[in-house]
Amino acid sequence: MATNVKRKKKAEVMSDDGSMTLTGHLKELRNRLIICAAVFVVGVIGFLAISDKLIDLLTAMAMNANYTFVFLAPQEKLMQYFRVSLIAAVIVTIPVALYQVYAFAKPGLKRSERFFFRLVLLFGLALFCVGVLFAYKVTLPFMLNFLVTLEGTDYITASISIESYINLCLTMFIIFGCVFEMPLVTIILAKMGIANPEIMKKGRGVASGHDHPVQNGHHLPGAAQESPRRRHCLHLLHCSCGHPARYRVAVLRGCAHVPAVLYQHLPQRHFL
């Protein structure tokens, strides 16, 4: 009897050709969602027990800059403990959820795709953590010291609420974490064919080295902000550096949009 029940359950999950049925996929997805939810709930309960230490960790860099905090509503202080616990639980759950996504999609991926997926997960989490650490150790202390020493009218005093301070910390963490993810995002877009070197060169535009012609070892000013026709004339001038001076004068006189400062690089006798 038990064997028949097992065979029936297996038939619901696996088809005759060995592939998983829709019911099997839904059951697997349900199990993985349950795992993520369980990790989140356990994380919330665990971080609530040490929420005061998390608040101390966030406010330590501000206390070094002689900040004092207040709460403007009766429930504000309590809500920050719950808020920090929830955010910490989400941070712990995200790696687990990403792994569950990878495990769910793994049977349908090629070997090279599985390897690339694992690298993306690993380096993505590592880069985000580095960005958050950079914001915590470098950016936020510098910003807080600058803001507290900002000169102004003497009658304005600081009454900083703990909620606004935590909002600032979380905003900076998210911004720098996302900024540090940009190299990985670029690699992913290049792998997908969305971003290629040609598109990136076009987007680079002004920063391109070809927009800064050089003559006699000096960068010609104003070239990076010129129109396409003007840049074309500057390019002709740059290509004519090996020709006689009269040839360069002819190039300059044929380009009405070339700045007059370019004529300073040529002998005056050739303009006669």
Side-chain angles (χ1 to χ4, degrees):
M1 184 66 179
T3 305
N4 294 332
V5 172
K6 290 182 179 180
R7 289 179 180 178
K8 185 176 180 181
K9 290 183 177 180
K10 186 176 180 180
E12 293 178 354
V13 175
M14 304 294 293
S15 60
D16 296 334
D17 57 355
S19 60
M20 185 175 290
T21 61
L22 177 61
T23 304
H25 283 294
L26 293 177
K27 286 184 177 181
E28 183 183 1
L29 181 61
R30 180 198 61 188
N31 295 334
R32 298 192 183 281
L33 290 176
I34 291 175
I35 293 174
C36 295
V39 172
F40 176 75
V41 172
V42 172
V44 170
I45 297 173
F47 285 117
L48 271 176
I50 58 171
S51 57
D52 54 342
K53 295 182 180 180
L54 296 177
I55 295 290
D56 293 340
L57 185 65
L58 290 176
T59 57
M61 50 187 168
M63 300 300 292
N64 294 333
N66 298 323
Y67 276 77
T68 56
F69 300 104
V70 298
F71 56 95
L72 305 179
Q75 77 282 1
E76 181 177 336
K77 184 177 179 180
L78 178 63
M79 293 305 297
Q80 299 314 306
Y81 288 107
F82 282 102
R83 186 182 181 188
V84 170
S85 301
L86 289 173
I87 293 174
V90 170
I91 293 174
V92 172
T93 307
I94 286 176
V96 178
L98 292 177
Y99 174 77
Q100 295 301 323
V101 171
Y102 165 72
F104 182 76
K106 182 179 178 181
L109 298 176
K110 299 178 181 178
R111 183 175 181 180
S112 59
E113 292 174 341
R114 291 197 297 267
F115 178 75
F116 183 73
F117 205 111
R118 288 195 295 264
L119 286 181
V120 168
L121 290 179
L122 179 62
F123 284 101
L125 293 174
L127 289 174
F128 191 86
C129 292
V130 171
V132 172
L133 187 63
F134 181 84
Y136 181 80
K137 291 291 186 180
V138 180
T139 307
L140 274 174
F142 174 79
M143 181 184 299
L144 294 173
N145 287 319
F146 170 76
L147 294 176
V148 76
T149 58
L150 187 64
E151 295 183 358
T153 52
D154 296 333
Y155 60 86
I156 300 178
T157 58
S159 295
I160 303 171
S161 66
I162 186 65
E163 181 180 4
S164 61
Y165 174 74
I166 291 179
N167 285 338
L168 174 65
C169 292
L170 296 179
T171 302
M172 296 301 296
F173 291 159
I174 293 174
I175 290 175
F176 276 85
C178 294
V179 168
F180 274 68
E181 293 282 352
M182 292 307 297
L184 184 62
V185 172
T186 304
I187 294 175
I188 295 175
L189 294 178
K191 186 76 173 179
M192 296 173 62
I194 299 176
N196 52 53
E198 289 74 17
I199 295 177
M200 298 177 69
K201 286 180 181 178
K202 291 180 181 179
R204 188 171 55 187
V206 174
S208 177
H210 296 288
D211 293 332
H212 300 274
V214 179
Q215 182 171 340
N216 296 333
H218 301 283
H219 288 274
L220 300 180
Q225 294 80 17
E226 306 300 337
S227 63
R229 181 180 176 184
R230 198 167 184 176
R231 288 200 300 268
H232 177 66
C233 294
L234 296 176
H235 178 68
L236 291 177
L237 176 65
H238 176 56
C239 295
S240 64
C241 291
H243 293 77
R246 293 186 180 276
Y247 176 80
R248 283 177 280 167
V249 172
V251 171
L252 286 174
R253 286 177 175 172
C255 299
H257 295 275
V258 176
V261 70
L262 294 178
Y263 291 92
Q264 299 175 4
H265 296 276
L266 299 177
Q268 294 294 328
R269 65 178 182 274
H270 292 292
F271 294 97
L272 299 177

